[in-house]
Amino acid sequence: MSSSISPLAPKHVPDMPTILGIRLATAEAGIRYKNRTDVLLAVMDKGTAVAGVFTKSKCPSAPVEWCRAKLKGGKARALVVNSGNANAFTGKTGRASTALTAKIAAKAVGCSESEIFLASTGVIGEPLDATKFDGVLGRLAETAEPGDYLTAAKAIMTTDTFPKVATATVRLGKAKVTINGMAKGAGMIAPDMATMLSFIFTDAPIAPAALQALLKAGVEDTFNAVTIDGDTSTSDTLLAFATGAAAEHGAPKVSRASDPRLKAFVKAFNQVLVNLSEQVARDGEGARKLVEITVEGAKTKASARKIAMSIANSPLVKTAIAGEDANWGRVVMAVGKAGEPADRDKLSISFNGIRVAKSGARDPSYDEAQVSEAMKAPEIAIKVSLGLGKGRDRVLTCDLTKEYVAINGDYRS
């Protein structure tokens, strides 16, 4: 957790309303850090539905494997998250740690171990001493209260420079329902069907299967459209919990994601995902520029996504942006190497609305001074037009600075 906040951090932190059926508490368990909270316990009322998407890494963490197995039950009573240790690449010891953590949490909450969900973030390859949760989780279960999402988000930070929270309210039937979310992530960010760590809570009465469908769809153009460094974590976990408490106030119970009554809810739910995923991009390790890359005129949306990611993950593009250099040649390189249909002589590129390349060559009206001034902005929009079809997509990234190297050069030290 950095002592200096990213210059791209949101200027406003929303007031996070309470959600019926959700109680939160944090503590210092001494997992790795000293003098800071490093464990979060979220306690849910009986009957809370759960959904999740996880990393596609072939080397997933022990908590990811635990959650995948327990997700089939569709119900949750508690979430335990620790920072400082990812409990990944820890073999049998890691699996034993998750089992012990779940056992301690289940006893503290008074539920089945199958209703406990786990997430860990931090160093890979170091054994996690789950005995440190003994006593701590019991105390947290007793003191957990509805409310302080900001403090909860701080407890799960690692190299993040600010806690990431978002909220939305919307009507579902006769009731007002709330959607709260938190996330952490600043490096090793290139999600694949999930996010870094993110948790969504709502009081809407949505069945597990419907919630799973909403989550799987919502993640595609939000968290899966963000990259900091092109590296997909072993621990990527996005969990959503729906307590159903709003049913007592007139919200209808929904069993299908296609239910037309969910239209406004889905929009609000996705907006929370959009907000959180952008905050992750804003907090990229060492970032000084938020970069939006839009590719249009591709053969398909999938093709546009691959090209946009090729640009977003290019160290040469990202370092040029850090140096405030509108180096469109590097963008051309990234388009060409993506392996997707492209025609050099139809390619046009712009930076912050200023076209720098057209029809495969430098734009005739190119003005170096104008573009250099535009590149000083904290937010950079790169637009690539391929001229081949109607496929369009957008991804978010950030620049690559010397600070990124410094942070990752001594992360375990």
Side-chain angles (χ1 to χ4, degrees), residues 132-155:
K132 291 186 176 182
F133 295 126
D134 200 7
V136 173
L137 295 182
R139 185 173 72 252
L140 292 183
E142 293 175 357
T143 59
E145 296 181 348
D148 200 346
Y149 287 85
L150 193 62
T151 296
K154 288 179 180 178

Side-chain angles (χ1 to χ4, degrees), residues 352-376:
N352 276 5
I354 302 172
R355 194 170 63 192
V356 296
K358 177 187 178 183
S359 302
R362 186 174 70 178
D363 192 284
S365 62
Y366 178 78
D367 183 328
E368 180 75 29
Q370 180 190 28
V371 177
S372 295
E373 185 63 30
M375 293 301 291
K376 294 179 182 179

Side-chain angles (χ1 to χ4, degrees), residues 293-298 303-304 307-308 311 382 384 386 391-394:
I293 299 168
T294 302
V295 174
E296 63 181 20
S303 180
I307 292 171
I311 299 167
I382 299 176
V384 174
L386 298 173
R392 184 183 188 278
D393 208 355
R394 160 193 173 274

Side-chain angles (χ1 to χ4, degrees), residues 27 152 218 260 290 306 326-327 336:
L290 176 68
K306 288 181 181 179
N327 193 331

Side-chain angles (χ1 to χ4, degrees), residues 82 117 123 224 287 356 378 406:
N82 75 270
F117 287 80
V123 173
N224 277 0
V356 296

Side-chain angles (χ1 to χ4, degrees), residues 36-246:
R36 59 152 285 190
T37 55
D38 59 1
V39 60
L40 160 67
L41 175 68
V43 182
M44 279 79 79
D45 282 356
K46 291 182 179 179
T48 295
V50 61
V53 287
F54 308 94
T55 182
K56 280 189 174 179
S57 169
K58 300 302 182 183
C59 300
S61 69
V64 166
E65 291 184 321
W66 174 275
C67 288
R68 278 178 176 155
K70 306 310 174 188
L71 199 64
K72 298 173 184 177
K75 299 296 181 183
R77 288 296 312 283
L79 166 70
V80 180
V81 188
N82 75 270
S83 58
N85 187 313
N87 195 12
F89 201 64
T90 46
K92 292 180 180 179
T93 299
R95 291 189 288 275
S97 292
T98 58
L100 179 56
T101 304
K103 182 178 181 179
I104 295 170
K107 181 179 179 181
V109 174
C111 68
S112 166
E113 293 169 26
S114 64
E115 297 175 299
I116 302 295
F117 287 80
L118 308 172
S120 299
T121 179
V123 173
I124 294 172
E126 297 289 340
L128 173 63
D129 182 5
T131 62
K132 291 186 176 182
F133 295 126
D134 200 7
V136 173
L137 295 182
R139 185 173 72 252
L140 292 183
E142 293 175 357
T143 59
E145 296 181 348
D148 200 346
Y149 287 85
L150 193 62
T151 296
K154 288 179 180 178
I156 64 175
M157 291 166 58
T158 50
T159 58
D160 305 63
T161 71
F162 61 88
K164 301 162 183 65
V165 294
T167 186
T169 57
V170 65
R171 295 202 72 81
L172 181 58
K174 298 179 180 179
K176 182 178 76 172
V177 298
T178 301
I179 306 163
N180 284 350
M182 68 180 79
K184 68 81 51 187
M188 200 181 287
I189 306 297
D192 191 0
M193 285 304 296
T195 175
M196 296 43 65
L197 290 186
S198 187
F199 311 105
I200 311 298
F201 304 91
T202 181
D203 52 359
I206 301 178
L211 189 62
Q212 182 68 38
L214 294 182
L215 194 63
K216 186 176 180 180
V219 79
E220 283 305 315
D221 289 329
T222 57
F223 283 112
N224 277 0
V226 171
T227 179
I228 300 302
D229 44 27
D231 288 331
T232 296
S233 172
T234 59
S235 306
D236 287 347
T237 298
L238 171 54
L239 294 169
F241 303 93
T243 69

